[in-house]
């Protein structure tokens, strides 16, 4: 649905912010683009609606290269791509109702249809009782709800979120993310979001790419990337997740040659694999660490076991056959 092909963006001062980047986003994805400040995230997301013009490459939306559109066609196309921002970008002199109506007026909606649509949108974002308020009378979360309503006014297929929760506290962030997830399902939207917070990716995305110095360094399903971050920057970002902060257990593992790390993804997490292995084989398991995560559409877990007994290899083969990945901790440390 969204395809960036060999995209390069060099700013007029000669700085190359995006380097020959390729990216595919499918319809219905909630796709997270994560990276540190300066990585190129804002530049990248703004290329999707041509707020930035690439120096090279193609931007395909539903197989149309939007770089070939004339200004009028581009304006029509942009109505199908809503966008929200970190600082909301509301019009301070207009009340909530008029901020939302503004997007419809620009798109040429008739006045009566406008009123009906704004009321629908206010209902959708839970702000019916605030329609006459001005932006300075709203909390950050409420302002972002107005911005979401405005972005969705013209029934877009795509919603771009530029650090949409970065200015909000944790609780408000959660409620805005829940709203986005809800809207995505109700409207069959495709959402592309940029963030520096892995928690945002974990909370709502199904796919993610990690960007650094204008290049994608890692991409894939969220459960896969969070359970197996390969690149050092991805590992750093994953390490900032609250439950990952305490990795001290790694320093307190016993001095055993039979320590194994097991990674369970999706179905493997929901089966009694460990107890089955205990019943079938002459082994004992001593669990030194276990951690399970449930994501919106996937789940994964990790366990560190000290395995003793006569049938260690057989037990490991059985567990592996249930789609559990196993790595010897000893071998890992020697790499
Ligand atoms: P992020 O959103 O990940 O923080 P940006 O896309 O804003 O990153 O910026 C990526 C790089 O491009 C940064 O080094 C930034 O300084 C540079 N950059 C952004 N906008 C411009 C511009 N208009 N002219 C020159 N360099 C820019």
């Amino acid at each position: 649905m969204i395809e960036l092909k060999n995209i390069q963006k060099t700013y007029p001062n000669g700085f190359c912010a995006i380097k020959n980047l390729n990216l595919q986003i499918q319809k219905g994805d909630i796709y997270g683009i994560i990276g540190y400040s300066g990585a190129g995230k804002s530049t990248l997301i703004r290329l999707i609606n041509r707020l930035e013009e690439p120096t090279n490459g193609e931007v395909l939306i539903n197989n149309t290269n939007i770089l070939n559109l004339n200004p009028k066609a581009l304006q029509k196309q942009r109505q199908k791509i809503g966008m929200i921002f970190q600082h909301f970008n509301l019009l301070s002199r207009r009340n909530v109702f008029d901020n939302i109506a503004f997007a419809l007026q620009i798109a040429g909606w008739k006045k009566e249809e406008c009123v009906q649509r704004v009321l629908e949108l206010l209902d959708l974002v839970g702000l019916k009782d605030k329609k006459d308020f001005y932006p300075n009378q709203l909390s950050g979360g409420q302002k972002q709800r107005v911005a979401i309503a405005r972005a969705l006014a013209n029934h877009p297929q795509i919603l771009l979120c530029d650090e949409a929760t970065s200015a909000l506290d944790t609780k408000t962030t959660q409620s805005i993310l829940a709203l986005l997830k809800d809207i995505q399902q109700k409207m069959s939207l495709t959402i592309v979001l940029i963030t520096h917070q892995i928690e945002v990716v974990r909370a709502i995305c199904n796919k993610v790419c990690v960007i650094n110095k204008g290049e994608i360094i890692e991409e894939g399903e969220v459960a896969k990337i969070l359970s197996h971050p390969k690149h050092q920057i991805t590992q750093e970002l994953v390490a900032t997740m609250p439950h990952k902060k305490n990795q001290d257990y790694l320093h307190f593992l016993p001095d055993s040659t039979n320590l194994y790390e097991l990674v369970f993804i999706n179905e493997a997490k929901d089966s009694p694999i460990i107890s089955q292995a205990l019943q079938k084989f002459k082994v004992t398991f001593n669990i030194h660490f276990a951690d399970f995560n449930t994501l919106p559409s996937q789940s994964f877990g990790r366990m560190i076991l000290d395995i003793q007994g006569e049938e260690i290899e057989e037990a490991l083969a059985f567990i592996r056959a249930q789609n559990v990945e196993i790595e010897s901790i000893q071998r890992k440390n020697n790499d």
Side-chain angles (χ1 to χ4, degrees), residues 11 13 15 17 36-43:
Y11 281 110
N13 66 356
F15 182 80
Y36 288 126
S37 181
K41 305 182 294 296
S42 294
T43 308

Side-chain angles (χ1 to χ4, degrees), residues 260-280:
Y260 293 90
E261 182 173 36
L262 280 56
V263 178
F264 302 74
I265 296 185
N266 294 337
E267 305 80 47
K269 183 186 147 283
D270 301 323
S271 316
I273 296 167
I274 295 297
S275 52
Q276 284 172 356
L278 277 174
Q279 282 164 16
K280 282 182 194 286

Side-chain angles (χ1 to χ4, degrees), residues 4-210:
L4 304 186
K5 279 190 180 172
N6 302 320
I7 288 289
Q8 185 180 320
K9 171 68 188 180
T10 303
Y11 281 110
N13 66 356
F15 182 80
C16 185
I18 300 291
K19 296 166 191 155
N20 269 327
L21 183 143
N22 290 288
L23 179 65
Q24 276 191 358
I25 298 172
Q26 307 301 331
K27 185 173 178 344
D29 275 346
I30 302 189
Y31 197 104
I33 299 171
I34 188 164
Y36 288 126
S37 181
K41 305 182 294 296
S42 294
T43 308
L44 181 56
I45 201 166
R46 290 161 61 87
L47 286 161
I48 296 175
N49 57 359
R50 254 182 92 181
L51 285 179
E52 289 293 352
E53 296 281 347
T55 323
N56 271 313
E58 294 174 33
V59 180
L60 303 170
I61 309 278
N62 294 328
N63 298 320
T64 301
N65 184 357
I66 62 163
L67 303 177
N68 295 335
L69 300 179
N70 62 34
K72 200 158 175 225
L74 178 62
Q75 195 193 348
K76 268 248 155 311
Q77 173 68 51
R78 281 206 182 123
Q79 285 166 10
K80 296 285 157 211
I81 309 179
M83 188 161 188
I84 57 172
F85 305 88
Q86 179 174 2
H87 297 296
F88 325 120
N89 297 9
L90 300 180
L91 300 165
S92 59
R93 288 168 185 271
R94 288 179 177 239
N95 66 19
V96 167
F97 187 99
D98 290 340
N99 259 283
I100 301 170
F102 188 60
L104 298 169
Q105 286 157 5
I106 291 175
W109 284 54
K110 292 200 188 94
K111 205 163 180 192
E112 322 79 71
E113 290 169 354
C114 241
V115 172
Q116 183 56 34
R117 180 69 183 142
V118 174
L119 293 177
E120 264 171 43
L121 289 157
L122 283 169
D123 196 25
L124 184 73
V125 300
L127 282 184
K128 260 184 160 166
D129 57 335
K130 300 279 187 290
K131 72 180 174 49
D132 299 322
F133 281 49
Y134 283 81
N136 66 2
Q137 298 172 305
L138 301 175
S139 69
Q142 290 165 340
K143 284 183 201 164
Q144 196 58 291
R145 283 171 188 265
V146 178
I148 291 171
R150 184 182 57 184
L152 299 177
N154 287 297
H155 300 285
Q157 299 167 336
I158 299 169
L159 179 66
L160 305 178
C161 309
D162 184 346
E163 295 276 6
T165 54
S166 297
L168 305 175
D169 61 47
T170 318
K171 209 166 160 212
T172 314
T173 293
Q174 280 167 6
S175 77
I176 292 294
L177 293 177
L179 175 66
L180 289 174
K181 177 86 189 144
D182 183 47
I183 286 168
Q184 186 265 338
Q185 281 168 351
K186 279 189 185 140
M187 299 179 60
S188 307
L189 269 180
T190 303
I191 297 184
V192 185
L193 63 86
I194 64 168
T195 181
H196 61 279
Q197 298 168 295
I198 196 83
E199 272 304 288
V200 170
V201 171
R202 194 180 84 106
I204 59 165
C205 296
N206 64 322
K207 303 231 185 78
V208 62
C209 75
V210 186

Side-chain angles (χ1 to χ4, degrees), residues 242-260:
H243 73 281
K244 290 283 168 203
K245 274 192 182 139
N246 185 3
Q247 293 226 342
D248 290 351
Y249 63 89
L250 287 175
H251 303 293
F252 296 106
L253 290 174
D255 193 16
S256 164
T257 50
N258 291 328
L259 282 177
Y260 293 90

